[in-house]
Amino acid sequence: MMDPTTDNAGPAGNPGDARASLEALRAEIAKAVVGQDAAVTGLVVALLCRGHVLLEGVPGVAKTLLVRALAASLRLETKRVQFTPDLMPSDVTGSLVYDARTAEFSFQPGPVFTNLLLADEINRTPPKTQSSLLEAMEERQVTVDGTPRPLPDPFLVAATQNPVEYEGTYPLPEAQLDRFLLKLTIPLPSRQNEIDVLTRHASGFNPRDLHAAGVRPVASAADLESARAAVAKTTVSPEITAYVVDICRTTRESPSLSLGVSPRGATALLATARAWAWLTGRDYVTPDDVKALALPTLRHRVQLRPEAEMEGVTADSVINAILANVPVPR
């Protein structure tokens, strides 16, 4: 993924002003997290698309810190759930509690009733508890005892997970993965970035105190609404729509894949490309916008055949090969 360029902010309330607030959001996150520009961009794109993000990486690469820095940079309510093997679905969604004084049951909302939910190490809890987020992520509501209860708007799940090969992890089922707009892989830092991290810590940086690091809220729900309205006006030509469809249909025909991208995945790719185009200061989508978001939007929506995995093929390599072969519209 590329990094959006800075655009001049216009008068208060216009799209330029909304874009400037999101640029400021990126700058605040950078006060706590060194590098990881692609992941920061992905989180901003997800906010614009009303989507959810899955961050995957080995322990110690600042996955949780990245989401905490995003939360500290937003004027939104945030909550955190540490997923463990003994976590129950009701610990996430809430439950009915008997009140002896009134002799009635009352609903006690769980941590999912917030604007930004940090689902930390989501693949360390069994599928039964993972599935407690399915309705919340797709329909923005939670049903308890037959009564649907709407979640706040905006609502974003930012989940972290360790690679599935690690001990004590439960692979996320396909239906759960498909609920995530983006899957962002958090790599180990470069040598220079790692030097910068250690330099910060030697200077007194405390990752548990982001306020002391100077991270402050710079964007509100109103800023997000203004930005989303601007993204919705970004032009998508019929050629771009056909290009997205061709990419996704080709995944279904790949001999390396047992599961290709669904129509929901195609819709997600169009949405993320549209948000990316707006972030870079344009009011129209280009093929390069589609290519820039193809990997994080599609890599978790395909499934490799066992024989392809044994040969070292990855989802990213298959998608990159498809992008190189599908004709690009002019």
Side-chain angles (χ1 to χ4, degrees):
M1 288 174 61
M2 302 171 286
D3 290 325
T5 57
T6 303
D7 186 61
N8 294 329
N14 73 13
D17 186 61
R19 189 181 292 115
S21 70
L22 293 180
E23 285 296 334
L25 180 71
R26 292 166 53 84
E28 291 301 307
I29 295 173
K31 294 178 181 178
V33 180
V34 176
Q36 309 297 5
D37 292 337
V40 173
T41 300
L43 287 168
V44 174
V45 167
L47 284 168
L48 290 173
C49 298
R50 302 179 187 272
H52 310 288
V53 178
L54 179 63
L55 300 120
E56 182 179 275
V58 298
V61 291
K63 300 185 299 296
T64 303
L65 179 61
L66 180 60
V67 180
R68 289 180 53 239
L70 172 68
S73 305
L74 292 166
R75 298 188 188 95
L76 300 174
E77 183 184 18
T78 62
K79 293 180 182 177
R80 174 178 176 174
V81 177
Q82 186 67 46
F83 281 75
T84 57
D86 60 347
L87 192 74
M88 299 296 293
S90 59
D91 295 330
V92 179
T93 61
S95 59
L96 295 175
V97 177
Y98 182 73
D99 189 337
R101 293 173 299 176
T102 62
E104 294 179 348
F105 285 92
S106 61
F107 178 68
Q108 297 296 320
V112 75
F113 286 86
T114 188
N115 296 122
L116 174 59
L117 177 68
L118 168 55
D120 207 17
E121 297 189 300
I122 190 172
N123 63 336
R124 290 201 177 276
T125 197
K128 179 180 179 181
T129 303
Q130 293 173 5
S131 65
S132 65
L133 287 173
L134 286 175
E135 181 185 17
M137 294 171 69
E138 182 63 22
E139 301 177 39
R140 265 58 176 187
Q141 69 177 26
V142 169
T143 301
V144 177
D145 196 34
T147 303
R149 293 173 169 84
L151 295 171
D153 184 34
F155 173 68
L156 167 72
V157 174
T160 70
Q161 73 169 15
N162 296 320
V164 293
E165 293 82 5
Y166 274 65
E167 186 177 353
T169 60
Y170 300 83
L172 296 178
E174 288 81 6
Q176 180 83 62
L177 284 171
D178 203 40
R179 296 304 199 273
F180 286 101
L181 179 74
L182 300 172
K183 179 183 178 183
L184 306 174
T185 55
I186 310 298
L188 289 166
S190 66
R191 179 176 182 274
Q192 184 56 53
N193 282 343
E194 197 162 0
I195 290 174
D196 293 341
V197 169
L198 267 63
T199 300
R200 286 191 181 190
H201 280 263
S203 301
F205 172 71
N206 181 0
R208 289 169 288 279
D209 188 357
L210 296 180
H211 181 74
V215 181
R216 58 189 178 89
V218 294
S220 65
D223 295 323
L224 288 178
E225 276 305 310
S226 177
R228 288 168 175 171
V231 170
K233 296 177 182 177
T234 303
T235 303
V236 180
S237 69
E239 292 79 11
I240 292 296
T241 302
Y243 182 52
V244 170
V245 169
D246 288 344
I247 291 171
C248 295
R249 290 182 67 87
T250 304
T251 65
R252 303 168 202 164
E253 302 164 0
S254 171
S256 298
L257 300 177
S258 60
L259 179 67
V261 177
S262 69
R264 175 159 51 187
T267 302
L269 180 55
L270 185 62
T272 56
R274 210 175 189 186
W276 172 254
W278 180 81
L279 276 172
T280 53
R282 283 178 284 102
D283 60 357
Y284 59 92
V285 180
T286 69
D288 284 341
D289 298 324
V290 176
K291 289 182 177 181
L293 274 298
L295 283 180
T297 308
L298 303 182
R299 60 164 57 109
H300 57 296
R301 302 175 192 273
V302 299
Q303 196 170 79
L304 290 167
R305 294 188 184 277
E307 56 269 28
E309 279 190 284
M310 292 178 63
E311 293 173 2
V313 176
T314 64
D316 283 14
S317 65
V318 173
I319 294 169
N320 278 326
I322 289 171
L323 291 175
N325 286 292
V326 173
V328 179
R330 293 187 177 182

